[in-house]
Amino acid sequence: MRILVLGGTWFLGRAVVEDALRRGWQVTTFTRGRSGESPTGAESVHGDRTDPDDLRRLAEHAPWDAVVDTSASDLAPRQVLAAARALEGAAGRYVYVSTVSAYQGWPDEPLTEGSVVLDGPPDADEDYGRMPEGWDGPDLHYGRQKAGAERAVLSTVGDDRATILRPSVILGPGEYVGRLPWWLNRAARGGRILAPGNPERTIQPVDVRDVAAFAVHCAAGGDGGVFNVTAPIGRETMGGFLAACLDVTGASGGLAWAPDEVLIEHGVRQWTELPLWRTHAGVWQIDSSRAYAAGLVCRPLKETVTDTWRWLLRGGAPVEHPRWAKHGIDPGKEAKILAALNR
């Protein structure tokens, strides 16, 4: 089996390459070479996927049995379209990693693969879907971009050869966003820890290695179509997640649970200041049963927490990314809310 991974040096892309190499496959990676080297054993092709000449040069390394695209998170649909067209005749299956943000109803309502997807043409530029100045509603720009990118792949490759994966939050060793690392480092500091909302609130993060394994499975000729890729609804809770962070770090701290309304009153930004906390009804109600039936296996969240802490202790450092700085609450603000809870 020969596959091409667009990306392949960090987080999900790297996990895909490592999984494929363990299966004895021949793997080619296509990166700009700015985020480290590809795993040993993979053939590396350096280039910029937004450069038509680089894409033509990449296609000269064909054929491949499948393409797995993990590097399009910040690209406009038209750039995804250009890559899909350049590689359309170079591979059999095309696996594109999208996001649940492509759904019109996320995060406000429960989702299945049949839920309505946002508008977004396959040839849209990076400005398509931006909210007008002064807009105070949800920012749908990212979701519209990803929806357009999905259509770029489907319109080029066709439904019979394309697989679209829609994960929600991906955690695990190598994470560059900073959600789980922030909670682990906060747990390690000890003391009273501000915990958000209800400890029984269910959550659905998925391990990066499980997303990668499913992407490789789909590349091998598994079922095509669209798959939500999350942990099962109801299996994991916020309380269990934070307890795991305390356990693996050996911290002496304790959790002080603040109701949603208290956090909102104090202006805590949902999703970022206390990572994974969000009050929207559908944020953790994503049905991934179709993926489970097709071969997705999701490990327990505590295993993800444990392995990520080991990665950090070994000096693991993520690729620098601006989203890292957005996560975590200021200690002074946390202390103020904790004091208010005491009162």
Side-chain angles (χ1 to χ4, degrees):
M1 184 83 177
R2 296 189 73 228
I3 68 167
L4 167 65
V5 179
L6 301 181
T9 59
W10 54 297
F11 202 43
L12 178 57
R14 190 175 192 87
V16 168
V17 173
E18 291 173 342
D19 190 283
L21 290 172
R22 281 193 294 269
R23 300 178 189 224
W25 293 6
Q26 293 178 266
V27 182
T28 302
T29 64
F30 182 61
T31 72
R32 293 176 296 178
R34 300 177 183 175
S35 305
E37 296 300 320
S38 301
T40 302
E43 175 193 16
S44 297
V45 178
H46 288 169
D48 188 333
R49 60 178 295 167
T50 66
D51 186 324
D53 290 335
D54 285 354
L55 288 174
R56 283 192 289 270
R57 182 169 52 83
L58 173 63
E60 293 173 359
H61 293 258
W64 296 282
D65 297 297
V67 174
V68 181
D69 188 351
T70 67
S71 67
S73 60
D74 298 321
L75 296 180
R78 65 178 180 180
Q79 295 168 326
V80 176
L81 180 64
R85 285 176 172 173
L87 299 171
E88 192 277 331
R93 180 160 295 280
Y94 202 113
V95 180
Y96 176 70
V97 181
S98 183
T99 169
V100 295
S101 294
Y103 287 114
Q104 180 175 295
W106 193 83
D108 297 311
E109 59 189 49
L111 298 172
T112 70
E113 288 87 354
S115 299
V116 176
V117 174
L118 287 165
D119 60 300
D123 58 351
D125 64 17
E126 59 273 13
D127 290 323
Y128 182 85
R130 290 193 190 278
M131 302 296 106
E133 187 175 351
W135 175 261
D136 61 357
D139 187 349
L140 303 179
H141 175 249
Y142 177 65
R144 284 171 168 163
Q145 290 277 304
K146 297 300 282 188
E150 290 183 8
R151 294 185 178 103
V153 172
L154 291 168
S155 65
T156 302
V157 179
D159 293 349
D160 57 333
R161 292 170 52 205
T163 300
I164 306 295
L165 305 183
R166 293 179 183 146
S168 177
V169 171
I170 304 177
L171 303 178
E175 183 196 333
Y176 65 92
V177 174
R179 296 182 177 105
L180 177 50
W182 186 85
W183 275 118
L184 285 166
N185 288 322
R186 177 62 190 91
R189 291 204 309 270
R192 291 183 73 219
I193 299 170
L194 182 64
N198 183 344
E200 297 304 315
R201 176 175 285 150
T202 60
I203 58 177
Q204 292 180 273
V206 61
D207 192 289
V208 62
R209 295 161 294 183
D210 297 333
V211 180
F214 187 59
V216 172
H217 167 76
C218 292
D223 295 342
V226 177
F227 296 96
N228 295 332
V229 185
T230 67
I233 295 174
R235 190 184 74 179
E236 311 285 354
T237 65
M238 195 68 184
F241 167 68
L242 295 186
C245 290
L246 288 170
D247 183 45
V248 301
T249 58
S252 58
L255 300 173
W257 291 92
D260 293 337
E261 56 270 23
V262 171
L263 298 176
I264 293 171
E265 178 185 345
H266 282 83
V268 177
R269 293 192 308 275
Q270 298 193 39
W271 211 230
T272 55
E273 283 195 287
L274 293 173
L276 305 186
W277 170 65
R278 201 163 188 169
T279 59
H280 300 71
V283 66
W284 300 119
Q285 294 295 314
I286 302 160
D287 181 9
S288 294
S289 56
R290 185 170 188 269
Y292 309 142
L296 172 65
V297 177
C298 291
R299 71 194 69 200
L301 184 53
K302 184 169 184 179
E303 184 176 334
T304 304
V305 171
T306 300
D307 292 346
T308 303
W309 182 239
R310 288 174 180 164
W311 169 70
L312 290 170
L313 289 179
R314 291 196 300 265
V319 170
E320 292 186 7
H321 197 280
R323 293 178 70 185
W324 184 279
K326 297 180 180 179
H327 290 85
I329 191 169
D330 177 80
K333 186 173 183 177
E334 180 186 24
K336 180 180 179 181
I337 298 173
L338 288 170
L341 290 177
N342 285 339
R343 291 196 298 270

